[in-house]
């Protein structure tokens, strides 16, 4: 079908194509078709050359071709691809049409051609009409079979083809079992037997089955057929029509095929069936550990007990209390339930929720307040203290908790500051070292230089020989290790270990993490400062504000220094590279490739708008 | 002082410096000093050459120099800069010391030299000791004056210099008014008069003032002096010592000088004064619109009425209710207050807070539930409905609100999808155009090409000539406009107007904003879906889930396409560039430079972990 590598042929085909295009442009489909058929030009071109013109002139096309075989040939050769793009691209054709969507092209052409043939002469084009059904995606085999069946029933004198011949033609186009299944799918036993007879299937095999089916009630029969054909959703619908007597079979079928959603759609919202399906669905969701959704399903079908358990399991305390109310729990049970759920919430560090439960359902105000203090919800704690006139707690618990929180925040910020500074200094050192290594200095010189200056003066914890070792030979260790532990390494990203090949990335990552952790506590610090001031702990508040502000300023000042450089280049190959160093740099390159997601590492983190957390009353001028 | 541009001199100086360094290394300070003085080498070198060695051998240095004048010369020439870095840098000196911090160098040297002189012979080096005080930052003029004063009192026989001479020397080093103020600052009238006499000030001027001061009570006298010298914090301390009789003056002084924080530190926490200062401070904070902080200050000094108003003004409803409780408001007043604050919170779209107030303080459960529905807090609304047995609201309000919310979310997502798709398509078109322009095609060709392909077929709303105009000449409009509206443009970032020079950035920005808006509603959609399912609106829930999921998938698929390219290069200078185009590209370059913060535009936004919002029970298999 392709030209045989002969330039002349190629040229010849170009001329042919040009001629065909001219014919198609003047709607000489006949000439174009003949020529294409003879020279084995792909027939899709008839449509692809200009889809709109073709669709507007389908009648003319059918009239000109006027041959069932040729139309069948055309339909059979149809495919979704646009041959003007793939096979017969021509420079003169502009290519902006590529923007158009060509999916469903075959279906469009089949439908257009069929509708034209039905109009002109359904009898004459009978086989071509069948082809147009079969060629669709998905094939409309039932309709095609129906056509054949009609033909047999009516046996009109105008028919150019017998039902038998038509069926044979269909079996030529489609696999026999597929056609048999589809005939069964029409629920039309005449059709089934017609196909079965032509199929050379064993009547001993299919007749008993068909007879059994025939004795069934219509809906149950259809359900059985659908089930046999694995059309479970259709089967479900038919089974549903069989009525309440079949409900237990229906419910089992729903469970077996996991068709709860479809089953619910088939039953009205308030019905018993609807409730029963929901209950079964809830059990299913529990068994697949979807507790919250199970709770919702149980709740809507009135299984409040089960719903409550499900909501307890997923920690949805709002719904837990709703369920308890629905079941009209006694006060004692409500208290016990609230305490139980609150305990779980505390375990998840959701003290505010737990406190609400204890306050509003267990009426244990003191415990509620203590939980709020544990979670550093100062204002809410104060509100409850005043609401329930428990001002004694201010001295016994509130103030100690406040000072504790102050202390913890000071320690946290101090640690963050230390880590941040250490990582930053180390990053600058590593960058300097990498840059030097990149300048392809002689290795000896690097070692000497490092010993002379960098490591004698700075407080680096590793000795110079240690470092130079890490930057020269030890990478071989890395490459051997990388294959083994790659997946592990990817999980925990880069190693902060001194001298590790992507230590700079690890440091960048650690610094970003530092910054995010410090930035994140802005609102906590703000509310702590307010509480400290309210109780006159101005000194402590001032210290905290100062420490936090200094740290934020340090970070703000450092961000452009840390993230100023562009994405650091991995050492490339230079005149001094050895086979070993090349393999190392290749390894590193690969590491870098696998971590393209790291690109966010190279974007400076942003601090939230500075200052909103601050109390200006703590600022001394 | 600098070499006269004569190479020989330069060379000579290098030799000299080398010799001086050798002398300094062997601690021959005398030789080094003599030589440096003669050749006008900066004397800082004595210290800077090796700070540690100098500090260890200050005694030796003093003994060798052994001249008040020379030591004065040395001290006077001291400055913070390290001359081995700035004037006399030498390649042989390694430069790692730059890491050391050199601030306060002058203070360190002054203290060291003085302590050595005090040990060796305080009488002999008296003037040099004065110099060492004066040269400090800040100058210790009081101590120097005290020394002179002691000298006059004792007039020891060992003294090598009279008090008068010493004072004259001081006046030679320091401005007379400054010295007079500092003498006043010692509160020692002998000293003041001693300085005043030497100062050629008019006794008629200073004597009445001093006499008036002398008659005052000591603390009030010191306060008056401090105030005169504008040392307000010191003045405050002294005024505080004057006792409660002076409290109103104290409080006025605090207000005038805005020294509330300092005043609070001077008064014990429970005292009347502490309360009064807090009250004044609160007023001050109100007047500067720091309502919340004013509230805290008022609250801690028992001004609950004022505190309540302040907390109402800043919307801190927790504290508002605390204040009401402190003042033992009647039930009626509490209800009115709660309603009032709740109204304000609703105005700020904080329906959950407002609902809590209405529920817990106004006991208006129905209104609370309606507010929760308004804010789409479905579960909390359900909780209250069940808690207060108002199941009637389910039909009257809950379900309608639910369906409303569903509808609004559908519309919102639909709009977002449309905008996203439009912006994305436009971005690709703009990029294509920019790329073509960058390939330095002939302008005519660009226009022709654009007319032929891009704009005839695509649904772009602008005509080709329009576009080409915008990409060729119109940038001149940009450059003329940019100077005028730059600040305005920076505020609203880039223009989405078609053809605007940074349209691609604007589109990137808009797409990022789209994505963030869609991503942000994950939890809202999740809770809406749950509520819909609970009430059996499975169909609606499924539609919403489908739409949202499709949109999230579209976004996820598009992100790598949109953010794949690196930071787009602004058209650079090429063979076809004209003076005009160069100036344009320079302008653009500047625009790009001023928007380096945009770099975050080039980082793909990240969707929150997909799927956690979804109800898998709504998924059909």
């Amino acid at each position: 079908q392709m030209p045989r590598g002969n330039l002349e042929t190629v040229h010849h085909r170009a001329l042919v194509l040009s001629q065909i295009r001219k014919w198609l442009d003047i709607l000489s489909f006949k000439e174009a078709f003949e020529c294409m058929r003879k020279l084995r030009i792909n027939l899709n071109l008839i449509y692809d050359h200009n889809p709109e013109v073709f669709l507007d002139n389908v009648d003319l096309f059918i009239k000109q071709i006027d041959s069932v075989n040729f139309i069948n040939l055309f339909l059979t050769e149809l495919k979704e691809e646009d041959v003007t793009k793939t096979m017969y691209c021509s420079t003169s054709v502009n290519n902006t049409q590529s923007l158009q969507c060509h999916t469903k092209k075959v279906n469009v052409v089949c439908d257009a051609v069929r509708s034209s043939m039905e109009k002109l002469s359904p009898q004459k084009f009978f086989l071509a009409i069948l082809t147009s059904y079969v060629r669709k995606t998905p094939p409309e085999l039932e309709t095609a079979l129906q056509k054949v069946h009609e033909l047999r029933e009516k046996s009109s004198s105008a028919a150019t083809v017998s039902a038998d011949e038509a069926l044979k033609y269909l079996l030529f186009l489609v696999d026999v079992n597929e056609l048999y299944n589809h005939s069964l799918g029409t629920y039309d036993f005449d059709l089934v037997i017609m196909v079965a007879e032509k199929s050379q299937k064993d009547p001993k095999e299919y007749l008993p089955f068909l007879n059994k089916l025939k004795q069934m009630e219509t809906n149950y029969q259809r359900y059985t057929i659908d089930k046999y054909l694995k059309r479970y959703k259709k089967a479900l619908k038919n089974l549903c029509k069989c009525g309440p007597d079949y409900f237990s079979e229906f419910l089992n079928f729903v469970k077996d095929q996991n068709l709860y959603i479809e089953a619910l759609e088939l039953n009205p919202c308030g019905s018993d069936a609807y409730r029963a399906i929901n209950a079964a669905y809830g059990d299913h969701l529990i068994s697949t550990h979807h507790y919250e959704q199970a709770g919702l399903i149980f709740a809507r079908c009135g299984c409040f007990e089960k719903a409550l358990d499900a909501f307890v399991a997923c920690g949805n305390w709002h719904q837990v209390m709703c369920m308890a109310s629905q079941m009209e729990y006694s006060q004692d049970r409500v208290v016990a339930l609230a305490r139980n759920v609150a305990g779980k919430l505390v375990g998840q560090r959701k003290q505010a929720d737990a406190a609400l439960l204890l306050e509003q359902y267990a009426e244990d105000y003191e415990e509620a307040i203590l939980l709020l203090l544990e979670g550093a919800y100062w204002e809410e704690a104060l509100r409850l203290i005043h609401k329930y006139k428990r001002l004694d707690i201010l001295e016994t618990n509130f103030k100690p908790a406040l000072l504790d929180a102050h202390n913890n925040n000071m320690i946290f910020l101090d640690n963050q500051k230390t880590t941040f500074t250490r990582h930053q200094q180390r990053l600058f050192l590593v960058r300097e070292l990498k840059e030097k290594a990149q300048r392809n200095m002689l290795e000896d010189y690097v070692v000497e230089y490092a010993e002379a200056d960098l490591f004698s003066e700075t407080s680096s914890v590793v000795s110079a020989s240690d470092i130079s070792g890490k930057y020269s030979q030890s990478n071989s260790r890395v490459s051997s290790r990388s294959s083994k532990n790659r997946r592990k390494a990817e999980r925990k990203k880069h190693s902060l270990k001194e001298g590790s090949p992507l230590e700079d990335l690890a440091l960048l990552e650690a610094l970003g993490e530092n910054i995010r952790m410090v930035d994140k506590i802005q609102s906590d610090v703000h509310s702590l400062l307010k509480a400290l001031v309210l109780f006159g702990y101005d000194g402590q508040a001032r210290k905290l504000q100062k420490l936090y502000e200094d740290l934020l300023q340090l970070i703000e000042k450092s961000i452009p220094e840390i993230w100023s450089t562009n994405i650091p280049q991995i050492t490339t190959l230079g005149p001094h590279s050895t086979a070993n160093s090349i393999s190392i740099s290749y390894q590193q390159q690969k590491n870098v490739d696998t971590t393209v997601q790291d690109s966010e590492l190279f974007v400076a983190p942003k601090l939230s708008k500075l200052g909103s957390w601050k109390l200006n009353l703590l600022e001394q001028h």
Side-chain angles (χ1 to χ4, degrees), chain A:
Chain A
Q1 190 158 336
M2 285 298 288
R4 290 172 194 78
N6 182 324
L7 268 175
E8 206 181 342
T9 322
V10 172
H11 194 239
H12 173 58
R13 161 162 295 198
L15 286 178
V16 168
L17 286 173
S18 152
Q19 180 56 47
I20 291 170
R21 286 195 190 97
K22 278 178 198 149
W23 276 325
L24 290 174
D25 284 340
I26 57 165
L27 304 178
S28 293
F29 294 114
K30 181 84 181 170
E31 284 78 2
F33 192 92
E34 292 285 355
C35 172
M36 290 166 85
R37 200 173 62 85
K38 270 177 202 147
L39 295 172
R40 320 201 77 170
I41 306 286
N42 190 300
L43 295 174
N44 281 278
L45 187 59
I46 295 174
Y47 171 84
D48 292 337
H49 174 63
N50 197 332
E52 280 177 45
V53 170
F54 178 82
L55 291 176
D56 288 345
N57 296 282
V58 177
D59 285 358
L60 189 64
F61 170 74
I62 300 293
K63 278 180 200 156
Q64 284 188 21
I65 305 296
D66 198 39
S67 151
V68 174
N69 283 341
F70 285 180
I71 294 172
N72 279 339
L73 190 63
F74 172 68
L75 291 173
T76 316
E77 222 172 288
L78 282 178
K79 49 186 170 178
E80 296 296 346
E81 94 184 44
D82 180 351
V83 295
T84 65
K85 295 285 171 310
T86 53
M87 289 179 172
Y88 310 121
C89 18
S90 128
T91 49
S92 70
V93 175
N94 62 47
N95 55 4
T96 49
Q97 291 173 4
S98 64
L99 295 171
Q100 290 188 338
C101 175
H102 272 283
T103 50
K104 300 292 161 206
K105 160 187 155 187
V106 176
N107 283 6
V108 167
V109 177
C110 283
D111 288 342
V113 170
R114 181 174 58 252
S115 107
S116 173
M117 291 187 294
E118 300 260 23
K119 195 169 61 191
L120 295 172
S121 170
Q123 288 84 13
K124 178 176 169 189
F125 295 115
F126 192 80
L127 293 184
I129 289 172
L130 292 186
T131 314
S132 76
Y133 283 120
V134 171
R135 288 288 295 141
K136 284 190 77 174
T137 315
E140 295 184 13
L141 297 182
E142 283 86 352
T143 326
L145 281 167
Q146 211 62 51
K147 287 267 169 197
V148 176
H149 189 55
E150 279 166 23
L151 181 69
R152 190 157 73 170
E153 299 297 292
K154 285 187 281 177
S155 64
S156 130
S157 58
T160 58
V161 66
S162 72
D164 264 20
E165 280 169 328
L167 196 56
K168 263 189 192 155
Y169 177 70
L170 261 187
L171 282 166
F172 160 76
L173 289 178
V174 189
D175 172 71
V176 61
N177 286 317
E178 203 182 331
L179 204 62
Y180 175 77
N181 283 344
H182 277 275
S183 68
L184 204 53
T186 62
Y187 315 122
D188 181 338
F189 289 96
D190 288 352
L191 215 57
V192 178
I193 288 168
M194 181 182 89
V195 173
E197 279 169 350
K198 281 282 165 239
S199 72
Q200 291 161 324
K201 276 188 173 237
D202 184 357
K204 286 196 200 104
E205 230 177 75
Y206 63 82
L207 277 179
F209 177 60
L210 292 181
N211 287 332
K212 219 173 86 188
L213 283 174
K214 274 182 184 166
Q215 287 156 17
M216 291 177 182
E217 184 270 328
T218 315
N219 286 320
Y220 196 78
Q221 178 195 74
R222 293 187 169 186
Y223 153 71
T224 313
I225 290 171
D226 291 332
K227 202 172 149 186
Y228 171 79
L229 295 176
K230 297 196 166 60
R231 304 193 300 198
Y232 297 119
K233 289 184 193 178
K234 241 180 176 170
L236 190 75
K237 273 184 196 148
N238 284 318
L239 184 53
C240 185
K241 286 181 195 152
C242 298
D245 292 348
Y246 288 86
F247 185 71
S248 76
E249 182 165 1
F250 178 82
L251 196 57
N252 282 330
F253 186 66
V254 167
K255 286 181 193 169
D256 285 349
Q257 299 302 332
N258 189 6
L259 290 172
Y260 301 97
I261 296 166
E262 294 76 5
L264 287 172
E265 280 175 351
L266 293 172
N267 288 279
C269 208
S271 64
D272 288 344
Y274 184 80
R275 264 192 296 281
I277 298 161
N278 270 317
Y281 194 14
D283 288 333
H284 170 72
L285 287 167
I286 290 279
S287 73
T288 53
H289 307 290
H290 294 102
Y291 297 109
E292 188 167 35
Q293 297 180 44
L296 295 171
I297 296 292
F298 281 135
R300 73 185 195 179
C301 71
C303 298
F304 300 125
E305 193 80 48
K306 283 185 172 182
L308 190 144
D309 289 344
F311 286 130
V312 168
C314 67
N316 185 334
W317 60 271
H318 283 95
Q319 293 285 12
V320 168
M321 298 327 288
C322 290
M323 294 305 112
S325 162
Q326 296 257 32
M327 288 189 282
E328 304 192 333
Y329 264 29
S330 69
Q331 180 60 20
D332 282 357
R333 285 189 79 183
V334 168
V335 170
L337 182 65
R339 283 195 182 283
N340 173 19
V341 176
K344 293 193 178 180
L345 289 170
V346 170
Q348 299 161 35
R349 304 206 53 71
K350 293 177 179 168
Q351 290 96 344
D353 293 341
L356 191 148
L357 281 175
L358 290 184
E359 179 212 347
Q360 297 195 17
Y361 294 94
E363 288 172 27
D364 184 345
Y365 309 130
E366 180 164 341
E367 190 59 30
I369 293 166
L370 297 190
L371 279 180
L372 290 170
L373 292 178
E374 190 187 310
Y377 299 97
W378 311 112
E379 288 185 337
E380 180 70 0
L382 274 178
R383 190 178 70 82
L384 293 196
I385 285 173
H386 284 293
K387 192 177 180 202
Y388 299 108
K389 307 285 178 202
R390 288 297 306 270
L391 276 75
D392 57 306
I393 295 177
L394 287 180
E395 292 301 327
T396 57
N397 296 86
F398 195 99
K399 288 182 182 177
L402 204 54
L403 294 175
D404 248 24
H406 172 262
N407 198 31
N408 292 337
N409 272 281
M410 292 296 286
I411 291 170
F412 170 79
L413 290 173
D414 223 60
N415 285 342
Q416 289 296 321
K417 193 172 183 173
T418 312
T419 330
F420 184 82
T421 313
R422 200 180 58 229
H423 283 159
Q424 188 186 21
Q425 282 170 357
R426 177 73 196 163
L427 176 67
F428 293 159
L429 185 66
V430 170
R431 278 193 184 153
E432 210 179 322
L433 281 173
K434 281 212 168 180
E435 210 179 300
K436 268 176 199 152
Q438 227 164 1
R439 275 193 245 119
N440 285 316
M441 287 176 173
L442 291 171
E443 194 169 293
D444 294 358
Y445 180 63
V446 171
V447 174
E448 185 194 316
Y449 196 81
E451 276 177 350
D453 297 344
L454 276 156
F455 298 95
S456 55
E457 296 285 340
T458 63
S459 60
S460 172
V461 267
V462 283
S463 75
S465 60
D466 221 340
I467 282 275
S468 66
K470 269 166 187 147
Y471 278 92
S472 49
Q473 313 106 31
S474 78
N475 280 332
S476 56
R477 244 184 289 145
V478 175
S479 56
S480 73
R481 196 182 51 190
S482 65
S483 57
K484 205 165 57 189
N485 290 9
R486 181 153 326 138
R487 244 163 286 127
K488 195 172 164 193
E490 270 174 22
R491 231 182 305 126
K492 62 170 182 170
K493 291 214 160 183
H494 316 303
S495 162
L496 266 175
K497 197 157 157 273
E498 296 210 351
S500 91
L502 294 176
E503 189 189 346
D504 48 352
L505 293 195
L507 287 164
L508 218 48
E509 193 176 27
L511 285 164
E513 189 53 32
N514 261 331
I515 292 173
R516 270 181 291 277
M517 277 172 76
V518 170
D519 188 52
K520 211 174 59 183
I521 61 165
Q522 280 203 21
S523 71
D524 289 350
V525 170
H526 180 64
S527 75
L528 179 55
L529 286 174
K530 287 195 291 183
L532 286 168
V533 165
L534 183 63
F535 287 94
Y537 297 119
D538 294 18
Q540 284 91 332
R542 200 166 295 129
K543 265 186 213 149
L544 177 59
Q545 172 150 319
K546 176 97 174 51
L547 179 57
Y548 193 43
E549 181 157 37
D550 287 354
L551 183 50
L552 286 176
Q553 274 173 2
L554 170 69
I555 287 172
E556 223 191 3
K557 188 174 70 69
S558 305
I559 283 177
E561 292 167 19
I562 296 172
W563 278 273
S564 68
T565 49
N566 293 323
I567 300 180
Q569 294 297 311
I570 295 298
T571 42
T572 45
L573 312 182
H576 299 287
S577 55
T578 62
N580 193 32
S581 79
I582 291 171
S583 97
I584 289 162
S585 93
Y586 176 70
Q587 272 294 344
Q588 291 184 332
Q589 209 69 50
K590 263 173 65 186
N591 282 351
V592 168
D593 288 344
T594 58
T595 54
V596 180
Q597 322 90 300
D598 287 346
S599 68
E600 68 206 74
L601 276 186
F602 302 110
V603 181
K606 265 196 135 177
L607 291 175
S608 322
K609 51 202 177 319
L610 281 169
S612 58
W613 60 273
K614 252 195 300 187
L615 299 189
N616 63 313
L617 67 77
L618 294 173
E619 306 250 288
Q620 250 151 344
H621 355 266

